[in-house]
Amino acid sequence: MARPPQFDVRMSEAEGLMWRLEKDPYLSSTVANITVLDRRADFARFRHRLDRASRVVPRLRQRVQPTPVSLTPPTWVDDPAFDLDYHVRHVALPKPGSMRQLCELATLIAADPFDRTRPLWGFFVVDGLKGGQGAIIQKLHHTVADGEGSIRLSMQFIDLERDAPDPPMPPEGERPAAEQPAPPPSAAEALRDLLAGSLRMPIGISRQLRELLTDPTQIPTAGMTLAESVRGVLSQLSDVETAHSPVWTERSLRRRLETLRAPLDDTKAAAKALGGTLNTAFICAAAAAAGEYHQKVGAPVEQLRASMAVSTRTRESGSNAFSLVRMLVPTGEMDMAERFRLIHEATTTAREASATAGLETVAAVAATLPTSLVIRLAKTQAQTVDFATSNVRGADFPCYIGGAQIVSNYPIGPLGGVSFNLTLLSYNGSLDMGLNVDAAAVEDPGLLRSCMEGAFAELGALG
């Protein structure tokens, strides 16, 4: 059994920012996933495994405890009323049990806000799919874990063979001291810590950063690292150029989920032949598809603004370790190899720029501001982006849940105010993708999915 992921008692600045932003439903941080199985999962067996997981992974039995007047990031405390059956449900699709019905159910589940008085996760075991297949819809708040953290968490209930024996159930008793949740600070303690400057800034950033942001004329005399951080934050917050799409302009809370797959080996081979990485190939195909969509609806566009989730995970990382970068990607008519080269350059530049203004640094600055202002700034920043992408590496071998083999996985990434989110999860030789669309922005999601499929096929042929 894989080592369970490690969780901190207090949210990081970035997690605290995601928590605050959810006061606006357009900025929801919920992530979800559809797992399609070759047959119905054994519900009792799956529930037993999640019962065990909730004992091994303390976070699954914890709720969020806000701190007094939000002076510091929230903490996690044990939920004395934890009820496993609230978080693990058994449902069935009506006939005919199509993939379209499954996607619509997953969209509704993902859009339903979490009860903030309970642990922030849920699983829905779904029966009734065509051909005797089954499915599991997973829903998780981003403050619990990012994509890579979620994969590590899933190893608590995933098997490497269909009839693998269940691991022993640990007793419900005292936790080791290192895993005991700390009591939330009192208002006096929070205020003292805030005045001491020990909570709002990550390592390497001090009270001086706030002073420089207040008076940027001091930047030339500041230390190099600090000055670069200030320049990066100021550059990011001052970039308010509107998104480039002439047709993806509306925003709503209406969602439409499309799914698609591409062969992993062909895409990796193409990326290698073109001198880049799988992630570059992924964004290249997304950009090509977005451009073709605009051409087909009679509104060609030469470039769009994309955001990309970049992993910052190390061995010491907690439940979330990522940053977000923005870049302009070419979407006009051009050779796929030339598009790949331009996007490879753009992603390299964007990664370098994120080093001085990562999500934690931006979140630390945002933590000093009123929530209403932070939400307004976040929505302004979201309006600069046309679409979002994220790439998560999964298992490259068959896996099983509740006695059923996983056939495919379709992740559902949060929109956060953009027109669509394309998230990729590799699994057993396939690139499984969830295309989460704002239905007001992209009026023909099926056409966009078709353009995506064509772009990946064209790219894969170059390998």
Side-chain angles (χ1 to χ4, degrees), residues 3 31 79 81 98 125 129 131 154 165 169 200 219 256 258 286 294 304 309 334 340 357:
R3 179 178 67 87
V31 293
D79 178 11
S98 66
V125 178
L129 270 72
S154 71
M169 178 72 76
R200 283 309 193 190
I219 291 177
R256 170 83 174 191
E258 300 286 344
H294 281 76
L304 295 173
M334 65 175 62
F340 187 98

Side-chain angles (χ1 to χ4, degrees), residues 209-228:
L209 177 54
R210 270 184 257 175
E211 295 172 353
L212 289 182
L213 287 168
T214 303
D215 183 10
T217 61
Q218 299 180 45
I219 291 177
T221 61
M224 181 176 297
T225 300
L226 186 61
E228 284 301 315

Side-chain angles (χ1 to χ4, degrees), residues 34 71 83 95 107 117-118 132 162 174 292 418 440:
I34 297 175
L71 291 177
D83 179 3
K95 291 183 178 181
T107 301
T117 67
R118 297 175 182 266
R162 190 182 295 275
E174 289 291 323
E292 184 183 5
V418 303

Side-chain angles (χ1 to χ4, degrees), residues 87-353:
H87 300 275
V88 187
R89 310 287 185 90
H90 195 181
V91 300
L93 290 176
K95 291 183 178 181
S98 66
M99 189 65 192
R100 180 72 260 148
Q101 289 174 296
L102 181 62
C103 287
E104 290 174 355
L105 175 61
T107 301
L108 289 173
I109 290 172
D112 190 28
F114 279 104
D115 179 347
R116 287 190 162 208
T117 67
R118 297 175 182 266
L120 305 176
W121 61 276
F123 284 87
F124 295 77
V125 178
V126 184
D127 297 341
L129 270 72
K130 281 183 179 179
Q133 290 188 320
I136 295 176
I137 300 171
Q138 174 186 347
K139 177 181 178 180
L140 189 73
H141 197 281
H142 217 315
T143 55
V144 176
D146 60 13
E148 291 186 49
S150 298
I151 294 296
R152 293 176 60 196
L153 183 62
S154 71
M155 295 309 295
Q156 296 303 313
F157 54 82
I158 285 180
D159 296 315
L160 302 183
E161 53 185 288
R162 190 182 295 275
D163 298 315
D166 290 332
M169 178 72 76
E172 290 195 76
E174 289 291 323
R175 289 190 203 150
E179 294 183 358
Q180 290 289 351
S186 66
E189 291 171 331
L191 181 59
R192 184 180 65 246
D193 286 339
L194 181 61
L195 293 176
S198 62
L199 291 176
R200 283 309 193 190
M201 298 296 162
I203 295 174
I205 305 295
S206 70
R207 185 176 58 244
Q208 293 172 292
L209 177 54
R210 270 184 257 175
E211 295 172 353
L212 289 182
L213 287 168
T214 303
D215 183 10
T217 61
Q218 299 180 45
I219 291 177
T221 61
M224 181 176 297
T225 300
L226 186 61
E228 284 301 315
S229 294
V230 174
R231 291 191 183 97
V233 172
L234 288 175
S235 175
Q236 189 159 329
L237 294 179
S238 62
D239 183 358
V240 293
E241 180 185 9
T242 58
H244 289 227
S245 173
V247 293
W248 295 339
T249 56
E250 298 296 322
R251 296 292 183 268
S252 72
L253 295 177
R254 293 188 294 116
R255 303 290 178 255
R256 170 83 174 191
L257 177 65
E258 300 286 344
T259 61
L260 61 147
R261 309 186 82 191
L264 173 60
D265 288 344
D266 289 353
T267 311
K268 286 178 66 175
K272 183 177 180 180
L274 295 172
T277 65
L278 177 62
N279 195 54
T280 302
F282 170 54
I283 299 172
C284 180
E292 184 183 5
Y293 179 96
H294 281 76
Q295 292 174 15
K296 287 184 178 296
V297 298
V301 62
E302 291 301 312
Q303 56 183 7
L304 295 173
R305 179 77 68 85
S307 71
M308 174 179 67
V310 177
S311 174
T312 58
R313 187 166 297 280
T314 66
R315 292 180 62 87
E316 292 75 33
S317 295
S319 54
N320 277 279
F322 71 98
S323 187
L324 294 174
V325 299
R326 294 175 295 183
M327 62 194 143
L328 289 172
V329 294
T331 52
E333 291 189 78
M334 65 175 62
D335 179 74
M336 185 67 82
E338 175 64 9
R339 192 188 312 277
F340 187 98
R341 182 187 67 79
L342 292 173
I343 290 178
H344 181 67
E345 294 175 355
T347 56
T348 301
T349 301
R351 285 176 182 272
E352 292 172 350

Side-chain angles (χ1 to χ4, degrees), residues 324-401:
L324 294 174
V325 299
R326 294 175 295 183
M327 62 194 143
L328 289 172
V329 294
T331 52
E333 291 189 78
M334 65 175 62
D335 179 74
M336 185 67 82
E338 175 64 9
R339 192 188 312 277
F340 187 98
R341 182 187 67 79
L342 292 173
I343 290 178
H344 181 67
E345 294 175 355
T347 56
T348 301
T349 301
R351 285 176 182 272
E352 292 172 350
S354 71
T356 58
L359 185 59
E360 275 295 321
T361 303
V362 174
V365 174
T368 67
L369 304 174
T371 298
S372 59
L373 176 57
V374 172
I375 289 175
R376 193 155 64 246
L377 288 171
K379 294 187 78 169
T380 299
Q381 292 292 300
Q383 291 168 3
T384 71
V385 177
D386 291 288
F387 65 90
T389 63
S390 184
N391 177 6
V392 181
R393 180 179 179 181
D396 58 0
F397 44 81
C399 295
Y400 302 82
I401 298 179

